[in-house]
Amino acid sequence: MAGFSCTWSNLSSLRTTSILQIGYIGMATIPTISFGITILNEIFPDGEKLSLPWTLLLAFFGSLFLALGHFLNEILCPQLIKKNPTPEFYRSSISEHIKDQSRMLANEMRKEKRSLDHELHDKFPALSLQAVDEITLTISKKLKEIDEDSSEAPSAFRDYESHWDKEDKSLPLGRRLIATFYAISSAILAILIVTYSFRVLEASIPL
């Protein structure tokens, strides 16, 4: 697997590849074929005994390792990497979250300002509407300054890249195990391709 970095983001790209579903199909199909061969041998005991070709047996183990790698990848891959496959995607998600929170805060402040306007006007009817507006505007500015000071550069946003990178490289043993399973299934696939290629050549070249 030269040139392949064993990180969750790379493994996650393999996890979402539909071709990996072949592993589950092979695990179900090949035992079914083997069971069918056994039944035929029992039905025709005097006939030639059938057996599962070694290539299908090898394909079964290849499917098994592929399915195991995919299953472990599915359950061990951190949720952060599943939802945010790149640091840029993670930054964008944080930005959207902060914008949503800011909108909610702005709406709450507008409601509080309207409530304060009515309260001041009811308690101090001598105050002109302009004076009420000036008081509430001053309070709104102070609240905004306090909010900006308290929420300036949240840690998740400041250190988003290091946080994402830490998750991407977490559980090293699990990542290596998954990569090993994928490598074994790839090696078996290569053996099968070479074997059938030789068979095709032998059949096409006349003796």
Side-chain angles (χ1 to χ4, degrees), residues 171-184:
L171 298 173
L173 183 60
R175 287 186 285 116
R176 291 191 187 100
L177 187 61
I178 293 167
T180 300
F181 285 159
Y182 285 158
I184 293 172

Side-chain angles (χ1 to χ4, degrees), residues 13 15 20 29 59 68 72 93 132 145 169 193 204:
S13 65
R15 178 178 54 81
L20 292 185
T29 304
L68 283 173
L72 290 177
S93 297
V132 171
E145 289 173 4
K169 296 177 180 176
I193 290 174
S204 61

Side-chain angles (χ1 to χ4, degrees), residues 50-100:
L50 301 175
S51 61
L52 193 69
W54 69 269
T55 50
L56 276 183
L57 189 61
L58 197 60
F60 170 75
F61 284 107
S63 299
L64 177 62
F65 283 114
L66 192 62
L68 283 173
H70 184 268
F71 176 74
L72 290 177
N73 200 352
E74 194 68 47
I75 64 172
L76 294 181
C77 182
Q79 287 296 321
L80 186 145
I81 303 299
K82 285 183 178 180
K83 295 178 180 178
N84 307 279
T86 64
E88 293 74 21
F89 200 97
Y90 184 43
R91 178 187 174 91
S92 177
S93 297
I94 295 173
S95 299
E96 287 301 318
H97 179 72
I98 291 175
K99 287 178 183 177
D100 290 341

Side-chain angles (χ1 to χ4, degrees), residues 22-42:
I22 293 175
Y24 298 104
I25 296 172
M27 284 182 62
T29 304
I30 297 173
T32 303
I33 295 172
S34 179
F35 179 73
I37 290 173
T38 303
I39 295 297
L40 287 174
N41 287 333
E42 290 179 358

